[in-house]
Each structure stands twice: as C-alpha cells, then as structure tokens.
Amino acid sequence: MRSTASIMHLDLDAFFASVEQRDKPSLRGKPVIVGGIGPRGVVATASYEARVHGVRSAMRTAEARARCPHAAFLGGRFDAYREASRLVMERLQQESDLVEPLSLDEAFVDLAASPDFDSASVLDTVERIRADIAAATGGLTASVGVASSKLMAKIASEVNKPDGVFVVEPGTEADILGPMQATAIPGIGPATAERLRRVGILTVADLRSPGVDELVRLLGQSSGRSLHRLARADDDRPVMASRETKSVSVEDTFEQDISDRLQLESIIERMARSVSGRLRKNGLSGRTITLKMRHHDFETHTRSSTLPHPTDNARLLATTARRLLDGEDISNGLRLLGVGVSGLADWVQDDLFAADDDEDHATDEEVVESAPERPARWYPGMDVHHGDHGDGWVWGAGLGRVAVRFETRWTPPGPIHTFRADDPVLAAGHTGTFDA
C-alpha cells in the first residue's frame, strides 16, 4: 500500500444519459433513460432525474417504464459516447502516463507517475482535471475518488456522487471501509452477498471476522482469499496503462424470437462485417470464432470453431459462424444472437488465394458511407438531418411516421415536426444502438 493518496478513480456521471442531455436541450433537467427500448430491452444508464424514481442500470426497460413513464427512453448513440470518452481519456493521459481505462466512462490514473505530482495539492490537481473535462466535453461532470489503492479510490468515487470528490487519507482506509455494506467491495454481487448474508456477514467489518480458511470454504479459493485481503483494505494492484483486448464481439436481442434460418444467416453476415471492421480498425485478427445463441426459454448456447490462422476477413467470419448455426435446433426461435472473435493477434495469415472482395475489406466507416441514408428502423434519440429544417433527433416513430425535434447542443429547445418514415429529405447520421 502506498503512503500517499495518489491513485485516482474517475467516473463520468450518468455518462450516456448526460451526453444525451447535453446534445438535446429539451431534455436537460428531465429524466432520461438510455438502453434497449424494445420489450426485452435493458437500461444501460439512467439520468439522476430518473434514478429518484427507482430506475437503475441493468433494470428491464419495461420495469423502468412502469416506474418512470414520463422519462425520455432513447436507443443510444455510440459515436457520441466514444467521442466524449476520447476527449476525457486524452485529458487524463496529459496528467499521467499511467491511465487504465475500465470502460468508456471510467478510468484509474496513477497521479504519482507525473513528475509534477504533489501529494499536498492533490485536491487542486483533481479540480483542475474535472474543470478541463467539463470544458472539453461541453459540460459533462465526473465524480472522483483518490486513495492509496485502486480499491479505495474506486469506492471513494461513489461517496460524493454526482459531481463530487472524496480523498481517502492514508491510514484511514480500514476505518472508512468497515461500516460499509459488504457489496461496496467490487466483485461482491447479489449471489455472493446472499451467501454471506446467510452466515451473518452484512458489512465489511463483518467480513473481517471469519478466517481466510473459512472464507475459502464458503466462497472458493480465489474469491475467499481475495475478499479476506480486500476487507482489510489490503490492495497493492498497480495501475496498468494497457488493458489487453481479449475478444471482439457483436450481439443483438430481438424484439421477437426468430426461427427463420435465412434471416438469422443474414444477421450473422451483418455482425461478421461489423466485427471485421472493428478488428481492422484496431489492427487485430483472431483465430476462434464464437456464435452465441439464446433460445426462447433463455437457455444460452455458444458454439466455437478455431481456425488454423488468425483472420479479420468478414466473409470467413460469416461462413464459419453460419456453419456453427447449422448444427443448432432453432425451431422454437432465438431471442439473441451474437458473433465474436477471440484468440487475438496483431497479424493476419489468411489463405492468399481465398476469395475476397472490397466489401470484405471495408472499414466500419466505408460500410456506413455505402449504406442508404434512410435507416431500416428509426429509433428515439437517433440523430437526423432534414433538408429543410436542419439537424435534430428522433422524438418518436411508428406506423410509418417519424416525429423529429429540431435542436442540437448549441441551440435552444426546438419544435417537433412529423414526417413520413420514407421522406426522401430525412436522413440519419451514423450512430450505434443498444440491443432492443
């Protein structure tokens, strides 16, 4: 453990929802829920205005609608989230060479890796970073924890959420951690928490009572030993500047079960192109292709095939994934399908004489440029442009109509106009959506 509070954990507040509120003036200060908007959707992020109604991440969208029916339910725009995340990570990397991103909206930073680090002025450093992030991203806020370990820094970032800072002074870690619920320790999910509750362990202080052998018997070798240490705030994990990508995958949950094999093969083709584009963009290839299938009864199967050599070829990925589907009974329909590649490498050795064409080598951007401007599906929240009215976003869609609110992050709240879904002057931007 360090003698100074020099590890920072930064967590952007309600990130996806905050980006939507930033870019949609009419939603500022109102409940916003981002995620799957179909009947099987799941909440990815809820704004704080929605959280007061009990809406939480990973909640079924149907339940979120029941709890907060007046919220704006949006399908999400990954391009906007990735761009905001890029700006944040660039600012963190200016502060330290040791930045460990955990996701688009959170990262660890080793402040002591900076030659200018001064433990006496850590609060000033944090406030400067937060102000720079807000300026660069158009007002997004971040909650920050600073401590002598990654464990305590992450826990500290939750203390004064949203838009707050908490510094754990060295030597106070165990005292701060003890009264907290055991679930405050990352890795203790509902199942582990229930197992601990059954033996009378509710708080972190309770977790310190059993010996390591007893915890191992209760939770297994790895979890038992890890929690025995973490309950005592014993965490010497370093901030790792590089997090190796283990796999690249795409999956989709369908609004209705699909049993048509040709339709599923078409979806596999699309997913394979998307995975191929992401591999190429990151200079990666992979040997193991995995098809993930969730049946109507929620039973999930995965089928994998390992190639002789790494590939990023969309046609080969699709062919292999389709072959994996051939052996599956889909007569009762699939509710989810996914294509992934693992066993990653930074080189490719395909068959030099394998058939290939421009489509297989197209990047994500090239695929988007060649696609029709009108999407197959309009969804709430997506960016649109109208030849006469300018830029806006889909407020609602259905029955062959699209309602668009014309406003951007730089304009006042705008009016809503309704158009035919096939209006030739209504075009969509390039955005990614959550599974429905």
Side-chain angles (χ1 to χ4, degrees):
M1 299 271 296
R2 301 183 178 199
S3 60
T4 61
S6 56
I7 294 180
M8 178 177 84
H9 179 260
L10 181 138
D11 189 4
L12 293 164
D13 298 317
F15 179 48
F16 296 159
S18 294
V19 171
E20 298 299 341
Q21 290 176 318
R22 178 198 68 181
D23 294 348
K24 298 173 171 61
S26 61
L27 298 183
R28 293 170 189 169
K30 298 179 180 178
V32 173
I33 297 169
V34 180
I37 55 179
R40 294 177 176 170
V42 174
V43 174
T45 305
S47 70
Y48 285 92
E49 295 87 353
R51 295 184 190 190
V52 299
H53 296 276
V55 179
R56 296 289 184 269
S57 298
M59 175 182 288
R60 293 291 299 270
T61 299
E63 182 179 351
R65 289 186 186 277
R67 289 174 179 263
C68 192
H70 58 292
F73 287 81
L74 308 178
R77 301 174 304 132
F78 279 110
D79 287 351
Y81 309 148
R82 277 191 288 260
E83 175 58 18
S85 176
R86 182 186 65 80
L87 295 172
V88 172
M89 298 305 168
E90 284 183 353
R91 174 60 187 89
L92 297 181
Q93 287 160 358
Q94 292 171 6
E95 195 67 32
S96 171
D97 290 334
L98 292 179
V99 176
E100 181 180 342
L102 302 178
S103 61
L104 287 176
D105 60 343
E106 63 175 321
F108 285 113
V109 182
D110 189 341
L111 298 174
S114 168
D116 300 324
F117 175 70
D118 178 6
S119 60
S121 59
V122 67
L123 269 176
D124 293 337
T125 299
V126 168
E127 292 299 351
R128 176 166 43 83
I129 292 171
R130 294 195 325 131
D132 290 347
I133 286 173
T137 61
L140 299 185
T141 63
S143 296
V144 169
V146 186
S148 59
S149 68
K150 291 168 76 171
L151 168 70
M152 293 306 300
K154 184 170 178 62
I155 289 173
S157 68
E158 295 287 332
V159 172
N160 288 325
K161 261 187 170 296
D163 196 20
V165 178
F166 188 80
V167 178
V168 179
E169 296 297 335
T172 66
E173 295 91 349
D175 291 338
I176 290 175
L177 192 57
M180 293 184 174
Q181 293 295 304
T183 51
I185 296 180
I188 298 184
T192 302
E194 175 60 20
R195 191 172 297 179
L196 293 173
R197 185 193 66 79
R198 289 175 181 173
V199 295
I201 297 175
L202 301 177
T203 68
V204 176
D206 295 337
L207 191 55
R208 295 171 186 164
S209 297
V212 63
D213 291 339
E214 187 175 347
L215 285 177
V216 166
R217 283 194 299 273
L218 182 65
L219 303 173
Q221 188 72 225
S222 178
S223 295
R225 292 188 180 279
S226 174
L227 291 183
H228 185 266
R229 289 189 304 101
L230 295 180
R232 293 159 175 76
D234 180 5
D235 177 26
D236 60 357
R237 294 171 298 161
V239 176
M240 307 294 290
S242 171
R243 289 174 62 86
E244 181 183 359
T245 301
K246 302 295 184 182
S247 64
V248 174
S249 63
V250 174
E251 64 181 47
D252 194 6
T253 302
F254 312 128
E255 293 189 12
Q256 304 213 348
D257 297 339
I258 298 176
S259 58
D260 184 276
R261 191 169 294 275
L262 289 178
Q263 185 178 359
L264 291 171
E265 289 181 348
S266 176
I267 293 171
I268 286 174
E269 293 273 359
R270 171 175 57 80
M271 290 180 171
R273 286 197 299 270
S274 177
V275 171
S276 172
R278 289 170 58 187
L279 288 169
R280 291 172 185 268
K281 186 174 183 179
N282 291 282
L284 297 171
S285 61
R287 291 183 61 202
T288 301
I289 291 87
T290 299
L291 185 70
K292 178 179 178 181
M293 297 158 286
R294 181 165 297 148
H295 290 260
H296 69 290
D297 57 359
F298 288 90
E299 186 173 337
T300 302
H301 296 169
T302 58
R303 301 285 183 263
S304 298
S305 178
T306 300
L307 305 174
H309 306 293
T311 186
D312 61 6
N313 184 288
R315 176 172 294 173
L316 183 54
L317 298 180
T319 300
T320 305
R322 286 199 309 269
R323 191 180 303 123
L324 294 170
L325 180 68
D326 289 342
E328 192 74 9
D329 179 8
I330 58 170
S331 56
N332 289 320
L334 298 181
R335 60 185 294 121
L336 176 146
L337 193 66
V339 174
V341 176
S342 57
L344 301 183
D346 57 3
W347 56 281
V348 179
Q349 187 177 334
D350 280 331
D351 182 350
L352 296 179
F353 297 99
D356 214 342
D357 56 29
D358 291 340
E359 181 182 6
D360 286 341
H361 286 289
T363 63
D364 282 345
E365 291 77 10
E366 290 167 342
V367 170
V368 170
E369 288 171 1
S370 65
E373 286 189 319
R374 258 191 329 276
R377 178 172 69 98
W378 300 100
Y379 65 89
M382 73 184 297
D383 292 323
V384 298
H385 177 80
H386 192 277
D388 297 327
H389 297 281
D391 294 322
W393 56 279
V394 174
W395 185 77
L399 302 177
R401 313 293 286 181
V402 182
V404 178
R405 185 182 284 276
F406 289 97
E407 62 182 10
T408 71
R409 61 186 284 194
W410 298 282
T411 70
I416 298 174
H417 296 292
T418 302
F419 308 93
R420 297 193 327 270
D422 60 353
D423 190 319
V425 295
L426 187 63
H430 178 214
T431 58
T433 65
F434 289 94
D435 294 342

